[in-house]
Amino acid sequence: MTNFEFPKNFLWGTATAAHQVEGNNVNSDVWLIEHIPGTPYKEPSGDACDHYHRYRSDIALLAELGFNSYRFSIEWARIEPEEGEFSFAVLEHYRDMLRACHEHGLTPIVTFHHFTSPRWLMARGGWENADTPDRFARYCERATKHLGDLIGAACTINEANIAALIMRFGFMPPPEQLQQATWWLAASKAFGTAPEELSPFQYVVSPKAFETIMSAHRRAVEAIRGTGAKFPVGITLALQDIQPVVGGEAFAERMSKEINDVYLERLEGDDFVGVQSYSRARCDDRKFLPPDEGAERTQMGYEFYPEALEACIRHAIAVSGLPVYVTENGIGTADDTRRIEYIRRALNGVVNCLKNGLDIRGYTYWSAFDNFEWALGYRPTFGLIAVDRTTQQRTVKPSARYLGSIARANAIEQA
Ligand code: BGC
């Protein structure tokens, strides 16, 4: 056994997103969609983990476990509940969250947009409207002016490529079909927009959406820096380790370009890229393939394949030339021993990269808590900490102690 030491100042954390943990994010587009007739959501988010009220004890618990960082998102729908109306009280709430992080020695990594948007943005053309980048930048600027002195690092947008990815994997019908779904029609009516103009973040795949999202990112970086903020700023991407079977090389290359590279190539001037990886994606010459018969699957249905993280880090650095923060990596499983094994093998990949001199600044596990897994509701459990849905009681899992002790030592034992 040898001991591998991570670089000094390496950030060890866990991640959450406002909508998935705070509870009652009622002014967001997703909350409305959760409650629309025929909703694609298995259940509504409700109180979630009540993190909006319990953040102080939650943050204390993360620090006690050994982490030195916490990635969370601030909620645009709360901060700017109507266009141009900013809530001082909500900004103060997030300021207190940041303060709590510092009191406990956690470097806060703040995400400005993690899938949810204010309802009013949907009424104004959402993520396909050319004015959205400016609106997003205005919110980022306002929030940074209020919070910037306490932020450790910032991600503008979480998983800019999520919708492209979901559609390529066949989990979402093409736009023409989607726009005829009962829930889509009901949602457009409720938001006050035409069905063909409804553009929630997780559902937009057009070239216009790509341009809107990437220019929103660019404008946000400029706006954040324009406040004089000194912390590093980047975007996060759901990167895919695409592995072709024999004959699938050309398709794999095309998909990697569409899902990974068109985004990675647009990050010039950023301080880092946030790598998020969960599994690999295998393909033949035409399509993505399900896991082999007998392959171990996670609760999400995809393959247990922690080695994907190493491939994604290498690819992200090769294409973007930027330093990496691993902003998400994790597994939905009811068997915590498999979570420990997943983390062990994923970290092995991080160590391999560091040994090759690659610039990786931190590892963030998704997620701190079992939380609201979007359309799948509360069934998939990604957390290092379990949450009782009725009492909100937190229970630390062995995997939390495992990763927390690596974090505390800033080192890992290797066979
Ligand atoms: C997202 C999270 C999500 C996680 C697990 C990522 O795509 O950023 O919000 O819960 O994956 O599926």
Side-chain angles (χ1 to χ4, degrees):
M1 286 289 219
T2 53
N3 212 24
F4 177 85
E5 293 215 4
F6 285 81
K8 208 169 147 258
N9 300 327
F10 195 79
L11 293 183
W12 292 98
T14 62
T16 59
H19 191 82
Q20 294 177 271
V21 293
E22 286 183 343
N24 302 297
N25 187 17
V26 301
N27 194 41
S28 67
D29 55 349
V30 173
W31 180 276
L32 184 145
I33 295 171
E34 286 168 21
H35 294 86
I36 216 77
T39 175
Y41 282 76
K42 285 213 169 14
E43 56 186 318
S45 50
D47 284 341
C49 303
D50 194 26
H51 190 57
Y52 198 80
H53 301 107
R54 292 166 197 258
Y55 62 95
R56 279 206 158 259
S57 48
D58 286 343
I59 286 168
L61 177 56
L62 295 172
E64 193 188 305
L65 286 166
F67 296 103
N68 65 4
S69 165
Y70 177 40
R71 173 175 177 243
F72 62 93
S73 75
I74 58 174
E75 181 58 55
W76 188 3
R78 292 190 199 267
I79 293 176
E80 192 180 356
E82 290 297 341
E83 180 164 20
E85 271 184 39
F86 292 88
S87 166
F88 182 82
V90 172
L91 284 165
E92 279 294 293
H93 164 87
Y94 289 120
R95 207 169 157 79
D96 195 53
M97 269 186 93
L98 291 163
R99 228 181 268 128
C101 288
H102 289 287
E103 283 166 24
H104 291 283
L106 302 182
T107 298
I109 303 179
V110 171
T111 305
F112 284 80
H113 186 273
H114 195 126
F115 296 169
T116 43
S117 309
R119 290 184 189 207
W120 61 258
L121 191 79
M122 289 307 107
R124 292 165 178 70
W127 290 95
E128 286 186 315
N129 185 302
D131 294 331
T132 294
D134 281 346
R135 291 183 166 123
F136 181 61
R138 178 182 55 187
Y139 146 70
C140 290
E141 181 184 22
R142 187 64 177 252
T144 306
K145 280 185 175 159
H146 203 105
L147 309 170
D149 57 321
L150 298 180
I151 294 177
C155 309
T156 55
I157 292 177
N158 181 69
E159 296 189 342
N161 60 338
I162 187 68
L165 180 73
I166 296 177
M167 206 195 64
R168 291 273 170 250
F169 282 177
F171 296 133
M172 180 165 82
E176 317 76 71
Q177 226 170 299
L178 193 60
Q179 285 166 17
Q180 284 167 21
T182 318
W183 75 265
W184 187 275
L185 295 170
S188 348
K189 200 161 163 211
F191 286 119
T193 188
E196 59 286 4
E197 273 162 24
L198 179 60
S199 306
F201 190 84
Q202 285 160 291
Y203 296 91
V204 284
V205 292
S206 64
K208 204 157 136 201
F210 172 78
E211 280 309 323
T212 309
I213 292 171
M214 294 316 283
S215 65
H217 165 61
R218 188 56 47 220
R219 293 276 301 103
V221 174
E222 290 162 7
I224 292 167
R225 287 193 181 142
T227 66
K230 296 282 176 289
F231 51 80
V233 191
I235 198 168
T236 84
L237 296 170
L239 294 176
Q240 296 306 307
D241 172 16
I242 302 179
Q243 299 184 7
V245 297
V246 177
E249 294 79 1
F251 181 77
E253 206 170 306
R254 183 154 70 79
M255 285 300 110
S256 184
K257 179 101 198 154
E258 282 180 28
I259 294 171
N260 303 321
D261 301 357
V262 293
Y263 298 88
L264 288 167
E265 285 161 1
R266 288 275 292 254
L267 306 185
E268 213 188 307
D270 290 4
D271 297 310
F272 68 90
V273 53
V275 169
Q276 316 206 152
S277 163
Y278 288 88
S279 184
R280 67 174 169 180
R282 293 164 76 235
C283 68
D284 62 16
D285 59 345
R286 244 161 313 163
K287 59 183 182 317
F288 286 109
L289 303 169
D292 283 339
E293 190 103 358
E296 180 177 351
R297 293 182 188 229
T298 74
Q299 286 171 328
M300 301 296 279
Y302 46 65
E303 192 180 350
F304 178 97
Y305 192 78
E307 285 70 23
L309 178 60
E310 176 174 351
C312 291
I313 294 173
R314 289 183 187 278
H315 190 76
I317 293 178
V319 180
S320 73
L322 294 172
V324 158
Y325 285 83
V326 175
T327 40
E328 283 184 28
N329 174 247
I331 175 174
T333 178
D335 179 352
D336 199 52
T337 65
R338 298 312 290 155
R339 188 177 339 273
I340 291 175
E341 178 63 4
Y342 184 94
I343 295 172
R344 190 187 68 74
R345 280 164 53 181
L347 285 180
N348 195 41
V350 174
V351 170
N352 291 341
C353 294
L354 287 168
K355 282 182 176 165
N356 290 153
L358 297 183
D359 189 353
I360 309 172
R361 311 255 167 110
Y363 175 86
T364 309
Y365 177 83
W366 181 272
S367 180
F369 308 101
D370 289 343
N371 62 42
F372 183 65
E373 182 52 29
W374 304 110
L376 299 179
Y378 288 98
R379 197 190 59 86
T381 45
F382 280 87
L384 296 176
I385 299 165
V387 176
D388 183 299
R389 298 235 38 76
T390 315
T391 63
Q392 291 289 351
Q393 198 190 324
R394 276 55 171 154
T395 306
V396 169
K397 302 180 192 178
S399 54
R401 306 247 178 244
Y402 170 74
L403 183 57
S405 66
I406 295 171
R408 185 173 283 116
N410 198 32
I412 192 170
E413 285 207 335
Q414 289 201 299

